[in-house]
Structures are given as structure tokens and as C-alpha cells.
């Protein structure tokens, strides 16, 4: 009796996250996207395991001490704040993925890099025409003789441009718009995005060509496309910013050549994007002026970088039946907890008053090290007594009102001293402070809140 070979059964793959399902459903069980499952033919499983035959290695194995480092030296991109995040610059053969929300300034930043980078640069745009990119370059002053533009979306055409120009840097804007005829699927889908990224990564390693890819993000802020995209590249950068603020931050998420927790600060202007080696002017609204009730200055750690932050509070009204609490740039739950601790442990009456709390400059502060500063700002607003202008406040608060230690205290105090602060309120056992700064230990919230009564 002759057996018949069963035809491979169709499966369904999500174009957003790559999840596979045996039957079609309207909503992906993994990423919850609607209408993203596409039919794919499942490959038939082999009848028995195959033995992998030995092949010729591309190069002999060497001792790690004999491997040269010249080809792995980072080269500056021409933008110092981006070099800080990359770990000194971009390494030949490295593949960098820069992801961010629409309109945050990804193309503007990379056009700035393309104009300032050393050598010949090929800028491939799949979302705009070459004329549109030229208009932006005219506005930002990024026109350069060694900068070449190509409006392409086919991988084969990009490789032809690379063979012809032999660039020193390749920028692809964006990876979701690129496609190749070798695989099925629409541009931006899981299959196409993976195939194009694998091809460009292999090309970068083979020729020592640094490649920068622009990536889209989902509505939740994650990088769009398959998760394997982040594993294929060498560096993943997140470009963040609020549309109501000029502040932009490039945050390292993954970096095979340097620290993965560095942060670069930029300011988006009409003339382009500018790096901010010292962004304290954006975050300190009244530094150097007369003290104002309801304000306190702290230093937060964003990755490895200490950044000053001014916290502001406004307390209005009395005997209000349903008082309002409004928070901007802070964690709502954290501020609610601080209000309860202030009233219970420090005797500050807040249950019948409206409280407004915010940060300055569009900064987002979520770390507990800003607890004491926020609590003192609220107490200052309640009593209408201002903190001295030269005081910086550091410390985490517990529910018992105790002040707890924070990480990186030395770096925070050094940054505060550099900015001109001469007095610091810190948790117990801070160690020696910077020269010229008076350091005062604070054990509990009640003791320091007495100055506002």
C-alpha cells in the first residue's frame, strides 16, 4: 500500500510581532493587534534529522590577544552628544537602530550626522523624496559635498548605490519602508523587515561599513517590527521628546561597544537640532533669582548622567470638599503617597486643599531620589515660605517619614556644586561632600519640615 504525502498546512503569522497561529483570528493573541494575521505556508518537517557536514571556515581561529583593535576603533559622528551615547563614536561595521515617535526629529538628527561625519555618506530615504530631504538640509545647514541622497525602497538598488559610491557611512530612513524581491510579504511586515535587516547587517560586517537604521515605534512606544530586529543590530537608541517641549533625549537601550545607559540631550530648534552638553538652563527656571515658595531643586540620575531638576508645587484653598490634585512630569501615585506622608508624619494639612505639582522644561521625573525635594516643595507652597536659592535636596522618603539613601550621591552632589549650589540636604551618612558645599544630614521628614511652620 502506497502512502500519500500530506501537503503542508497553512499557518498564520502576525505582521506586527511574528506570532504564529494554526487558524486565522481577528486579533493577535500576543500583541493584541487587529487584522495583522497573514497566511503563510508551513514548511514540511524533515523525515529524519540531518547531519551537518563540516565546511571550510572563512578565516582561521586566532588567540583573542592576537586580534587587532584598529578596525574596531570608534570614529566620531561629528555630534558630541550622540558620540556620548554611542560610547565615543560609531564603530566600522556597526549597525545602529534609532527609533522614535513620528515628528520627534530622527531624520533631522541623522541629517546633521550625515553632514558632519568624516568621509562620504549615503543617505537613503524611503519615506520622502530627495527634494524634500534637500529642503530640510537647506533649512538646517546640512548641505555637504560628500553627502549623497538616494530615494530608494528596494534593497537591490541600495546595494547598487553602495557599490558605486563606496560610502563611509550609510543611513537608511526608514527600515520599515525597505523591501527585497527575494522574500514574500509587504514592506514593513515581519518577513520583509527581518530579511532587509539581515542583509544590511551582513553587508556592514563584510565591508566594515557603519549603518544607521531609522525605526518606527508602536502606539505603546516599543520598536515596531519583530523582536529579533533588536537582537540583530549592535546598538539600539531610543529618541524621546514631548511635542510641547524643545527638549529631545537619545537614550541607549543596547550597545555592544559601550555603556547601555548613557543619555544625550538635544534641543530642537527651527534651524535644526543642537546638542546640549549642559542642559541645566532648560531644567532650572529660576536658578540665580530670588527664592520662590513652592520650588525645590534636586539632581536625578538619567542612566549614568546627573541632571538637575526643578520641582514646583502650588497649594491653594482651604476646606474644599473635593480638592483637586494635578500632576505634570511626575508619577501620580508617588505624589499621592508624599501628600499622605506629609500630612501624617509632618503635620502639614493638605486633605482639604488643592495641590498642583510639576517639573520644569518638560523633564519626566520618576525616581524615588526626588521624594524629599517634592515633599519640601509642597510644604513650602503650603506655608508660603521659600527654600534658600542655593539649596539642593536629595533623598527618598519611606511611609514612616524616614529619609533613605540614594544611589550615585557623590555624582549628584558634584553636579550640584558645579552648578553653583552651596548647601545640600541629603540622607544620613553621605560622606565628604564637594569642596565649598555644606552638606546637612536629614534623618526624617518631620525635622526638616519644621522650617516651614
Amino acid at each position: 500500500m502506497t502512502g500519500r504525502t500530506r501537503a503542508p498546512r497553512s499557518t498564520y503569522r502576525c505582521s506586527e510581532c511574528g506570532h504564529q497561529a494554526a487558524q486565522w483570528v481577528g486579533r493577535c493573541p500576543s500583541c493584541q493587534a487587529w487584522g495583522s494575521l497573514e497566511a503563510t505556508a508551513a514548511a514540511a518537517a524533515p523525515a529524519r534529522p540531518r547531519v551537518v557536514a563540516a565546511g571550510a571556515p572563512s578565516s582561521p581561529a586566532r588567540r583573542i590577544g592576537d586580534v587587532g583593535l584598529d578596525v574596531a576603533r570608534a570614529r566620531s559622528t561629528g555630534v558630541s552628544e550622540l558620540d556620548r551615547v554611542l560610547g565615543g563614536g560609531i564603530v566600522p561595521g556597526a549597525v545602529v537602530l534609532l527609533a522614535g515617535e513620528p515628528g520627534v526629529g530622527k531624520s533631522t538628527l541623522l541629517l546633521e550626522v550625515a553632514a558632519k561625519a568624516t568621509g562620504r555618506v549615503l543617505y537613503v530615504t524611503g519615506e520622502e523624496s530627495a527634494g524634500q530631504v534637500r529642503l530640510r538640509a537647506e533649512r538646517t545647514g546640512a548641505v555637504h559635498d560628500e553627502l549623497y541622497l538616494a530615494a530608494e525602497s528596494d534593497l537591490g538598488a541600495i546595494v547598487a548605490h553602495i557599490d558605486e559610491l563606496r560610502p563611509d557611512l550609510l543611513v537608511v530612513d526608514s527600515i520599515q519602508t525597505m523591501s527585497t524581491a527575494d522574500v514574500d510579504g509587504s514592506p514593513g511586515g515581519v518577513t520583509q523587515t527581518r530579511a532587509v535587516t539581515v542583509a544590511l547587517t551582513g553587508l556592514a560586517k563584510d565591508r566594515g561599513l557603519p549603518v544607521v537604521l531609522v525605526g518606527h515605534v508602536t502606539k505603546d512606544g516599543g520598536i515596531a517590527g519583530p523582536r529579533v530586529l533588536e537582537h540583530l543590530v549592535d546598538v539600539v537608541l531610543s529618541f524621546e521628546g514631548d511635542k510641547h517641549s524643545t527638549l529631545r533625549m537619545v537614550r541607549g537601550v543596547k550597545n555592544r561597544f559601550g555603556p547601555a545607559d548613557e543619555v544625550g540631550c538635544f534641543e530642537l530648534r527651527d534651524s535644526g537640532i543642537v546638542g546640549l552638553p549642559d542642559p541645566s538652563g532648560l531644567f532650572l527656571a529660576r536658578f540665580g533669582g530670588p527664592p520662590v515658595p513652592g520650588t525645590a531643586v534636586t539632581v536625578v540620575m538619567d542612566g549614568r548622567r546627573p541632571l538637575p531638576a526643578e520641582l514646583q508645587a502650588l497649594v491653594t484653598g482651604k476646606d474644599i470638599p473635593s480638592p483637586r490634585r494635578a500632576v505634570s512630569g511626575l508619577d501620580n501615585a508617588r505624589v499621592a503617597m508624599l501628600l499622605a506622608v506629609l500630612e501624617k508624619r509632618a503635620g502639614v494639612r493638605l486633605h482639604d486643599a488643592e495641590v498642583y505639582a510639576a517639573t520644569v522644561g518638560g523633564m519626566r521625573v520618576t525616581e524615588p531620589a526626588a521624594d524629599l525635594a517634592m515633599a519640601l516643595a509642597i510644604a513650602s507652597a503650603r506655608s508660603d515660605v521659600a527654600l534658600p536659592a542655593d539649596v539642593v535636596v536629595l533623598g527618598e522618603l519611606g511611609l514612616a517619614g524616614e529619609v533613605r539613601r540614594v544611589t550615585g550621591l557623590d555624582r549628584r552632589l558634584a553636579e550640584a556644586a558645579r552648578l553653583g549650589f552651596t548647601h545640600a540636604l541629603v540622607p544620613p551618612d553621605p560622606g565628604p561632600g564637594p569642596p565649598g558645599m555644606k552638606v546637612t544630614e536629614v534623618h526624617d521628614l518631620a525635622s526638616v519640615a519644621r522650617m516651614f511652620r
Side-chain angles (χ1 to χ4, degrees):
M1 183 175 178
T2 305
R4 292 183 300 175
T5 303
R6 178 176 298 179
R9 184 179 178 183
S10 296
T11 59
Y12 296 86
R13 181 191 295 270
C14 176
S15 60
E16 297 290 338
C17 66
H19 175 78
Q20 291 187 354
Q23 61 182 2
W24 185 88
V25 291
R27 189 176 190 180
C28 174
S30 178
C31 66
Q32 307 300 319
W34 288 96
S36 60
L37 265 67
E38 300 175 352
T40 58
R48 58 178 179 271
R50 297 180 179 179
V51 177
V52 179
S58 58
S59 61
R62 293 178 291 172
R63 294 185 181 93
I64 189 171
D66 298 334
V67 178
L69 293 176
D70 294 337
V71 296
R73 299 292 184 186
R75 297 183 304 180
S76 175
T77 62
V79 181
S80 59
E81 284 298 295
L82 185 61
D83 288 343
R84 173 202 288 267
V85 184
L86 292 173
I90 190 166
V91 176
V95 182
V96 180
L97 176 63
L98 177 66
E101 295 183 354
V104 73
K106 302 184 296 297
S107 300
T108 304
L109 174 62
L110 292 184
L111 196 58
E112 186 79 9
V113 171
K116 293 184 177 180
T118 304
R120 183 173 294 179
V121 181
L122 175 58
Y123 190 104
V124 180
T125 172
E127 298 182 344
E128 300 174 289
S129 66
Q132 289 175 312
V133 179
R134 168 63 191 273
L135 286 175
R136 188 190 307 117
E138 290 283 353
R139 177 173 56 85
T140 61
V143 178
H144 193 269
D145 291 339
E146 292 297 312
L147 173 56
Y148 291 81
L149 298 179
E152 300 285 357
S153 59
D154 180 69
L155 179 62
I158 297 174
V159 175
H161 284 295
I162 295 174
D163 292 337
E164 179 184 356
L165 295 174
R166 300 290 179 181
D168 299 300
L169 174 64
L170 173 64
V171 179
V172 179
D173 185 7
S174 66
I175 189 62
Q176 275 82 12
T177 61
M178 302 299 156
S179 62
T180 175
D182 296 334
V183 297
D184 298 329
S186 58
V190 173
T191 306
Q192 285 285 350
T193 303
R194 183 190 295 115
V196 173
T197 305
V198 169
L200 290 176
T201 302
L203 185 68
K205 305 302 179 186
D206 183 54
R207 305 191 183 188
L209 173 64
V211 178
V212 181
L213 307 176
V214 176
H216 297 170
V217 296
T218 62
K219 61 181 180 180
D220 298 325
I223 299 176
R227 193 69 177 181
V228 71
L229 189 66
E230 300 176 48
H231 295 284
L232 288 173
V233 301
D234 300 304
V235 182
V236 179
L237 304 179
S238 176
F239 202 10
E240 305 172 357
D242 187 356
K243 63 181 180 180
H244 301 296
S245 172
T246 60
L247 175 66
R248 298 292 185 268
M249 305 185 92
V250 176
R251 192 182 310 277
V253 179
K254 170 189 175 182
N255 193 348
R256 290 174 177 167
F257 310 108
D261 54 355
E262 276 286 5
V263 176
C265 296
F266 297 85
E267 185 178 9
L268 189 63
R269 303 174 181 173
D270 294 338
S271 58
I273 193 165
V274 180
L276 295 177
D278 185 10
S280 58
L282 291 177
F283 304 139
L284 300 179
R286 302 187 61 86
F287 181 64
V292 177
T295 63
V297 177
T298 187
V299 179
V300 298
M301 294 295 295
D302 201 334
R304 299 161 54 94
R305 186 170 187 173
L307 296 174
E310 181 177 331
L311 308 181
Q312 297 184 341
L314 181 64
V315 180
T316 62
K318 188 177 181 180
D319 297 328
I320 301 176
S322 298
R324 183 183 180 188
R325 277 88 168 94
V327 176
S328 176
L330 299 159
D331 183 31
N332 284 276
R334 198 81 190 174
V335 174
M337 185 198 76
L338 294 178
L339 295 177
V341 173
L342 273 168
E343 183 147 6
K344 181 68 176 179
R345 305 300 180 187
V348 180
R349 182 176 175 178
L350 297 168
H351 67 276
D352 57 351
E354 292 186 341
V355 180
Y356 303 87
T359 59
V360 171
M363 173 178 275
R364 175 74 180 173
V365 177
T366 57
E367 69 165 333
D371 286 352
L372 183 59
M374 189 70 255
L376 293 186
I378 296 172
S380 170
R382 171 83 274 189
S383 62
D384 204 25
V385 177
L387 274 169
D390 61 343
V391 173
V392 63
V393 184
L394 302 167
E396 177 186 355
L397 284 179
L399 293 179
E402 77 279 11
V403 180
R404 300 177 179 177
R405 298 181 183 178
V406 298
T407 59
L409 184 60
D410 294 341
R411 298 179 65 182
R412 299 174 196 261
L413 290 177
E415 178 67 12
R418 186 187 69 83
L419 294 174
F421 291 93
T422 59
H423 190 191
L425 302 180
V426 298
D429 301 326
M437 173 175 280
K438 178 183 177 182
V439 178
T440 302
E441 299 182 21
V442 178
H443 294 269
D444 56 79
L445 178 61
S447 60
V448 71
R450 293 191 187 100
M451 68 177 67
F452 301 109
R453 295 180 180 175

